[in-house]
mmCIF file of all heavy atoms in Angstrom:
data_model
loop_
_atom_site.group_PDB
_atom_site.id
_atom_site.type_symbol
_atom_site.label_atom_id
_atom_site.label_comp_id
_atom_site.label_asym_id
_atom_site.label_seq_id
_atom_site.Cartn_x
_atom_site.Cartn_y
_atom_site.Cartn_z
ATOM 1 N N ALA A 1274 107.820 101.406 -21.019
ATOM 2 C CA ALA A 1274 109.011 102.158 -20.614
ATOM 3 C C ALA A 1274 108.550 103.340 -19.773
ATOM 4 O O ALA A 1274 107.427 103.824 -19.909
ATOM 5 C CB ALA A 1274 109.806 102.640 -21.829
ATOM 6 N N VAL A 1275 109.445 103.811 -18.898
ATOM 7 C CA VAL A 1275 109.101 104.867 -17.944
ATOM 8 C C VAL A 1275 110.137 105.982 -18.030
ATOM 9 O O VAL A 1275 111.345 105.717 -18.077
ATOM 10 C CB VAL A 1275 109.060 104.322 -16.498
ATOM 11 C CG1 VAL A 1275 108.580 105.408 -15.530
ATOM 12 C CG2 VAL A 1275 108.156 103.095 -16.404
ATOM 13 N N SER A 1276 109.670 107.208 -18.041
ATOM 14 C CA SER A 1276 110.567 108.358 -18.026
ATOM 15 C C SER A 1276 111.410 108.341 -16.752
ATOM 16 O O SER A 1276 110.922 108.014 -15.653
ATOM 17 C CB SER A 1276 109.759 109.652 -18.092
ATOM 18 O OG SER A 1276 110.530 110.759 -17.677
ATOM 19 N N LEU A 1277 112.676 108.704 -16.873
ATOM 20 C CA LEU A 1277 113.550 108.783 -15.706
ATOM 21 C C LEU A 1277 113.000 109.761 -14.679
ATOM 22 O O LEU A 1277 113.088 109.520 -13.467
ATOM 23 C CB LEU A 1277 114.958 109.202 -16.142
ATOM 24 C CG LEU A 1277 115.978 109.447 -15.029
ATOM 25 C CD1 LEU A 1277 116.200 108.185 -14.197
ATOM 26 C CD2 LEU A 1277 117.296 109.944 -15.611
ATOM 27 N N GLN A 1278 112.422 110.862 -15.144
ATOM 28 C CA GLN A 1278 111.871 111.841 -14.199
ATOM 29 C C GLN A 1278 110.740 111.253 -13.365
ATOM 30 O O GLN A 1278 110.586 111.596 -12.190
ATOM 31 C CB GLN A 1278 111.383 113.080 -14.962
ATOM 32 C CG GLN A 1278 112.493 113.989 -15.436
ATOM 33 C CD GLN A 1278 113.388 114.465 -14.294
ATOM 34 O OE1 GLN A 1278 112.899 114.874 -13.241
ATOM 35 N NE2 GLN A 1278 114.686 114.383 -14.481
ATOM 36 N N VAL A 1279 109.952 110.365 -13.952
ATOM 37 C CA VAL A 1279 108.885 109.701 -13.191
ATOM 38 C C VAL A 1279 109.492 108.791 -12.120
ATOM 39 O O VAL A 1279 109.021 108.753 -10.975
ATOM 40 C CB VAL A 1279 107.968 108.904 -14.136
ATOM 41 C CG1 VAL A 1279 107.008 108.025 -13.344
ATOM 42 C CG2 VAL A 1279 107.193 109.845 -15.040
ATOM 43 N N ILE A 1280 110.546 108.060 -12.479
ATOM 44 C CA ILE A 1280 111.212 107.183 -11.504
ATOM 45 C C ILE A 1280 111.774 108.002 -10.354
ATOM 46 O O ILE A 1280 111.644 107.627 -9.175
ATOM 47 C CB ILE A 1280 112.332 106.384 -12.194
ATOM 48 C CG1 ILE A 1280 111.745 105.427 -13.241
ATOM 49 C CG2 ILE A 1280 113.164 105.620 -11.176
ATOM 50 C CD1 ILE A 1280 110.830 104.364 -12.684
ATOM 51 N N LEU A 1281 112.387 109.139 -10.667
ATOM 52 C CA LEU A 1281 112.997 109.959 -9.618
ATOM 53 C C LEU A 1281 111.952 110.664 -8.758
ATOM 54 O O LEU A 1281 112.181 110.905 -7.568
ATOM 55 C CB LEU A 1281 113.931 110.989 -10.249
ATOM 56 C CG LEU A 1281 115.112 110.436 -11.053
ATOM 57 C CD1 LEU A 1281 115.952 111.564 -11.641
ATOM 58 C CD2 LEU A 1281 115.976 109.512 -10.202
ATOM 59 N N SER A 1282 110.809 111.001 -9.341
ATOM 60 C CA SER A 1282 109.774 111.706 -8.586
ATOM 61 C C SER A 1282 108.885 110.758 -7.784
ATOM 62 O O SER A 1282 108.038 111.224 -7.014
ATOM 63 C CB SER A 1282 108.914 112.551 -9.532
ATOM 64 O OG SER A 1282 108.247 111.724 -10.484
ATOM 65 N N HIS A 1283 109.072 109.459 -7.956
ATOM 66 C CA HIS A 1283 108.349 108.456 -7.153
ATOM 67 C C HIS A 1283 109.391 107.528 -6.510
ATOM 68 O O HIS A 1283 109.530 106.367 -6.892
ATOM 69 C CB HIS A 1283 107.387 107.646 -8.020
ATOM 70 C CG HIS A 1283 106.253 108.448 -8.589
ATOM 71 N ND1 HIS A 1283 106.399 109.250 -9.701
ATOM 72 C CD2 HIS A 1283 104.952 108.574 -8.199
ATOM 73 C CE1 HIS A 1283 105.238 109.829 -9.973
ATOM 74 N NE2 HIS A 1283 104.350 109.430 -9.083
ATOM 75 N N PRO A 1284 110.119 108.024 -5.517
ATOM 76 C CA PRO A 1284 111.241 107.254 -4.960
ATOM 77 C C PRO A 1284 110.844 105.966 -4.261
ATOM 78 O O PRO A 1284 111.696 105.101 -4.056
ATOM 79 C CB PRO A 1284 111.890 108.242 -3.981
ATOM 80 C CG PRO A 1284 110.811 109.220 -3.644
ATOM 81 C CD PRO A 1284 109.976 109.342 -4.879
ATOM 82 N N LYS A 1285 109.582 105.828 -3.906
ATOM 83 C CA LYS A 1285 109.144 104.610 -3.210
ATOM 84 C C LYS A 1285 108.510 103.583 -4.144
ATOM 85 O O LYS A 1285 108.071 102.524 -3.691
ATOM 86 C CB LYS A 1285 108.159 104.974 -2.099
ATOM 87 C CG LYS A 1285 108.781 105.808 -0.989
ATOM 88 C CD LYS A 1285 107.804 106.056 0.151
ATOM 89 C CE LYS A 1285 108.459 106.855 1.277
ATOM 90 N NZ LYS A 1285 107.502 107.106 2.393
ATOM 91 N N ALA A 1286 108.458 103.889 -5.430
ATOM 92 C CA ALA A 1286 107.864 102.951 -6.394
ATOM 93 C C ALA A 1286 108.850 101.820 -6.667
ATOM 94 O O ALA A 1286 109.906 102.030 -7.261
ATOM 95 C CB ALA A 1286 107.512 103.675 -7.679
ATOM 96 N N VAL A 1287 108.501 100.615 -6.226
ATOM 97 C CA VAL A 1287 109.349 99.438 -6.415
ATOM 98 C C VAL A 1287 108.452 98.248 -6.727
ATOM 99 O O VAL A 1287 107.223 98.322 -6.645
ATOM 100 C CB VAL A 1287 110.205 99.129 -5.163
ATOM 101 C CG1 VAL A 1287 111.201 100.243 -4.889
ATOM 102 C CG2 VAL A 1287 109.310 98.880 -3.942
ATOM 103 N N PHE A 1288 109.094 97.132 -7.079
ATOM 104 C CA PHE A 1288 108.358 95.880 -7.264
ATOM 105 C C PHE A 1288 108.176 95.221 -5.905
ATOM 106 O O PHE A 1288 109.132 95.077 -5.139
ATOM 107 C CB PHE A 1288 109.115 94.964 -8.224
ATOM 108 C CG PHE A 1288 109.118 95.469 -9.629
ATOM 109 C CD1 PHE A 1288 110.158 96.256 -10.104
ATOM 110 C CD2 PHE A 1288 108.061 95.181 -10.489
ATOM 111 C CE1 PHE A 1288 110.155 96.745 -11.397
ATOM 112 C CE2 PHE A 1288 108.045 95.671 -11.783
ATOM 113 C CZ PHE A 1288 109.087 96.455 -12.236
ATOM 114 N N LYS A 1289 106.961 94.814 -5.623
ATOM 115 C CA LYS A 1289 106.621 94.329 -4.292
ATOM 116 C C LYS A 1289 106.651 92.805 -4.223
ATOM 117 O O LYS A 1289 106.299 92.122 -5.177
ATOM 118 C CB LYS A 1289 105.237 94.843 -3.892
ATOM 119 C CG LYS A 1289 105.142 96.364 -3.819
ATOM 120 C CD LYS A 1289 103.736 96.807 -3.471
ATOM 121 C CE LYS A 1289 103.635 98.329 -3.389
ATOM 122 N NZ LYS A 1289 102.266 98.775 -3.064
ATOM 123 N N ARG A 1290 107.072 92.319 -3.085
ATOM 124 C CA ARG A 1290 106.994 90.883 -2.796
ATOM 125 C C ARG A 1290 105.710 90.576 -2.035
ATOM 126 O O ARG A 1290 104.930 89.718 -2.434
ATOM 127 C CB ARG A 1290 108.197 90.456 -1.946
ATOM 128 C CG ARG A 1290 109.439 90.126 -2.739
ATOM 129 C CD ARG A 1290 109.276 88.825 -3.476
ATOM 130 N NE ARG A 1290 110.484 88.431 -4.177
ATOM 131 C CZ ARG A 1290 110.524 87.492 -5.092
ATOM 132 N NH1 ARG A 1290 109.413 86.880 -5.463
ATOM 133 N NH2 ARG A 1290 111.649 87.153 -5.678
ATOM 134 N N ARG A 1291 105.507 91.265 -0.954
ATOM 135 C CA ARG A 1291 104.359 90.979 -0.087
ATOM 136 C C ARG A 1291 103.057 91.357 -0.777
ATOM 137 O O ARG A 1291 102.854 92.494 -1.202
ATOM 138 C CB ARG A 1291 104.507 91.744 1.225
ATOM 139 C CG ARG A 1291 103.424 91.419 2.255
ATOM 140 C CD ARG A 1291 103.803 91.973 3.609
ATOM 141 N NE ARG A 1291 105.037 91.361 4.120
ATOM 142 C CZ ARG A 1291 105.616 91.705 5.268
ATOM 143 N NH1 ARG A 1291 105.080 92.653 6.019
ATOM 144 N NH2 ARG A 1291 106.722 91.113 5.656
ATOM 145 N N GLY A 1292 102.185 90.378 -0.926
ATOM 146 C CA GLY A 1292 100.878 90.623 -1.515
ATOM 147 C C GLY A 1292 100.831 90.598 -3.022
ATOM 148 O O GLY A 1292 99.756 90.718 -3.604
ATOM 149 N N SER A 1293 101.988 90.454 -3.682
ATOM 150 C CA SER A 1293 101.999 90.452 -5.142
ATOM 151 C C SER A 1293 101.877 89.024 -5.664
ATOM 152 O O SER A 1293 102.556 88.118 -5.195
ATOM 153 C CB SER A 1293 103.287 91.080 -5.661
ATOM 154 O OG SER A 1293 103.252 91.182 -7.069
ATOM 155 N N GLN A 1294 101.017 88.842 -6.633
ATOM 156 C CA GLN A 1294 100.796 87.519 -7.225
ATOM 157 C C GLN A 1294 101.583 87.390 -8.528
ATOM 158 O O GLN A 1294 101.933 88.390 -9.154
ATOM 159 C CB GLN A 1294 99.303 87.322 -7.513
ATOM 160 C CG GLN A 1294 98.404 87.495 -6.306
ATOM 161 C CD GLN A 1294 96.945 87.481 -6.705
ATOM 162 O OE1 GLN A 1294 96.570 86.986 -7.759
ATOM 163 N NE2 GLN A 1294 96.102 88.050 -5.855
ATOM 164 N N PRO A 1295 101.862 86.138 -8.960
ATOM 165 C CA PRO A 1295 102.526 85.950 -10.262
ATOM 166 C C PRO A 1295 101.722 86.618 -11.376
ATOM 167 O O PRO A 1295 100.494 86.512 -11.430
ATOM 168 C CB PRO A 1295 102.539 84.427 -10.424
ATOM 169 C CG PRO A 1295 102.478 83.894 -9.038
ATOM 170 C CD PRO A 1295 101.630 84.860 -8.254
ATOM 171 N N GLY A 1296 102.419 87.329 -12.240
ATOM 172 C CA GLY A 1296 101.765 88.011 -13.341
ATOM 173 C C GLY A 1296 101.186 89.362 -12.987
ATOM 174 O O GLY A 1296 100.653 90.070 -13.862
ATOM 175 N N MET A 1297 101.284 89.758 -11.710
ATOM 176 C CA MET A 1297 100.710 91.028 -11.278
ATOM 177 C C MET A 1297 101.759 92.080 -10.964
ATOM 178 O O MET A 1297 101.416 93.204 -10.607
ATOM 179 C CB MET A 1297 99.828 90.805 -10.041
ATOM 180 C CG MET A 1297 98.598 89.974 -10.301
ATOM 181 S SD MET A 1297 97.420 90.790 -11.414
ATOM 182 C CE MET A 1297 96.842 92.119 -10.365
ATOM 183 N N GLN A 1298 103.041 91.744 -11.091
ATOM 184 C CA GLN A 1298 104.066 92.701 -10.694
ATOM 185 C C GLN A 1298 104.071 93.951 -11.576
ATOM 186 O O GLN A 1298 104.336 95.048 -11.091
ATOM 187 C CB GLN A 1298 105.435 92.030 -10.700
ATOM 188 C CG GLN A 1298 105.634 91.080 -9.526
ATOM 189 C CD GLN A 1298 107.069 91.056 -9.056
ATOM 190 O OE1 GLN A 1298 107.983 90.990 -9.845
ATOM 191 N NE2 GLN A 1298 107.256 91.116 -7.755
ATOM 192 N N GLU A 1299 103.797 93.773 -12.867
ATOM 193 C CA GLU A 1299 103.724 94.939 -13.737
ATOM 194 C C GLU A 1299 102.633 95.900 -13.254
ATOM 195 O O GLU A 1299 102.866 97.110 -13.157
ATOM 196 C CB GLU A 1299 103.450 94.522 -15.182
ATOM 197 C CG GLU A 1299 104.558 93.695 -15.818
ATOM 198 C CD GLU A 1299 104.412 92.194 -15.596
ATOM 199 O OE1 GLU A 1299 103.626 91.804 -14.704
ATOM 200 O OE2 GLU A 1299 105.079 91.425 -16.301
ATOM 201 N N SER A 1300 101.455 95.350 -12.970
ATOM 202 C CA SER A 1300 100.346 96.186 -12.502
ATOM 203 C C SER A 1300 100.667 96.833 -11.162
ATOM 204 O O SER A 1300 100.409 98.026 -10.943
ATOM 205 C CB SER A 1300 99.069 95.351 -12.384
ATOM 206 O OG SER A 1300 98.558 95.023 -13.662
ATOM 207 N N ASP A 1301 101.230 96.042 -10.241
ATOM 208 C CA ASP A 1301 101.549 96.583 -8.922
ATOM 209 C C ASP A 1301 102.552 97.731 -9.013
ATOM 210 O O ASP A 1301 102.483 98.695 -8.247
ATOM 211 C CB ASP A 1301 102.105 95.474 -8.027
ATOM 212 C CG ASP A 1301 101.049 94.440 -7.664
ATOM 213 O OD1 ASP A 1301 99.849 94.748 -7.810
ATOM 214 O OD2 ASP A 1301 101.413 93.331 -7.242
ATOM 215 N N PHE A 1302 103.489 97.640 -9.949
ATOM 216 C CA PHE A 1302 104.478 98.704 -10.117
ATOM 217 C C PHE A 1302 103.871 99.924 -10.804
ATOM 218 O O PHE A 1302 104.014 101.058 -10.326
ATOM 219 C CB PHE A 1302 105.667 98.181 -10.924
ATOM 220 C CG PHE A 1302 106.724 99.213 -11.180
ATOM 221 C CD1 PHE A 1302 107.557 99.643 -10.171
ATOM 222 C CD2 PHE A 1302 106.881 99.762 -12.450
ATOM 223 C CE1 PHE A 1302 108.537 100.606 -10.407
ATOM 224 C CE2 PHE A 1302 107.853 100.721 -12.699
ATOM 225 C CZ PHE A 1302 108.672 101.141 -11.669
ATOM 226 N N LEU A 1303 103.176 99.701 -11.912
ATOM 227 C CA LEU A 1303 102.645 100.826 -12.682
ATOM 228 C C LEU A 1303 101.570 101.597 -11.915
ATOM 229 O O LEU A 1303 101.436 102.811 -12.096
ATOM 230 C CB LEU A 1303 102.101 100.323 -14.013
ATOM 231 C CG LEU A 1303 103.163 99.852 -15.015
ATOM 232 C CD1 LEU A 1303 102.527 99.167 -16.214
ATOM 233 C CD2 LEU A 1303 104.038 101.023 -15.475
ATOM 234 N N LYS A 1304 100.805 100.916 -11.049
ATOM 235 C CA LYS A 1304 99.789 101.621 -10.254
ATOM 236 C C LYS A 1304 100.405 102.699 -9.375
ATOM 237 O O LYS A 1304 99.720 103.657 -8.995
ATOM 238 C CB LYS A 1304 99.029 100.619 -9.372
ATOM 239 C CG LYS A 1304 97.970 99.823 -10.101
ATOM 240 C CD LYS A 1304 97.053 99.084 -9.135
ATOM 241 C CE LYS A 1304 97.824 98.119 -8.256
ATOM 242 N NZ LYS A 1304 96.910 97.338 -7.367
ATOM 243 N N GLN A 1305 101.676 102.548 -9.037
ATOM 244 C CA GLN A 1305 102.348 103.501 -8.160
ATOM 245 C C GLN A 1305 102.782 104.776 -8.884
ATOM 246 O O GLN A 1305 103.095 105.774 -8.241
ATOM 247 C CB GLN A 1305 103.574 102.856 -7.522
ATOM 248 C CG GLN A 1305 103.266 101.626 -6.686
ATOM 249 C CD GLN A 1305 104.537 100.923 -6.237
ATOM 250 O OE1 GLN A 1305 105.305 101.439 -5.428
ATOM 251 N NE2 GLN A 1305 104.781 99.725 -6.771
ATOM 252 N N ILE A 1306 102.809 104.738 -10.226
ATOM 253 C CA ILE A 1306 103.396 105.868 -10.949
ATOM 254 C C ILE A 1306 102.509 106.453 -12.032
ATOM 255 O O ILE A 1306 102.804 107.539 -12.529
ATOM 256 C CB ILE A 1306 104.748 105.466 -11.580
ATOM 257 C CG1 ILE A 1306 104.568 104.320 -12.582
ATOM 258 C CG2 ILE A 1306 105.772 105.105 -10.516
ATOM 259 C CD1 ILE A 1306 105.846 103.959 -13.335
#
């Protein structure tokens, strides 16, 4: 789970399509925050 303040302070943190592999979306997202 992620604090709302973290989501708001990282406005560009999203789940990526390009370059993301199956099973890696969690890592790709969390690395941003």
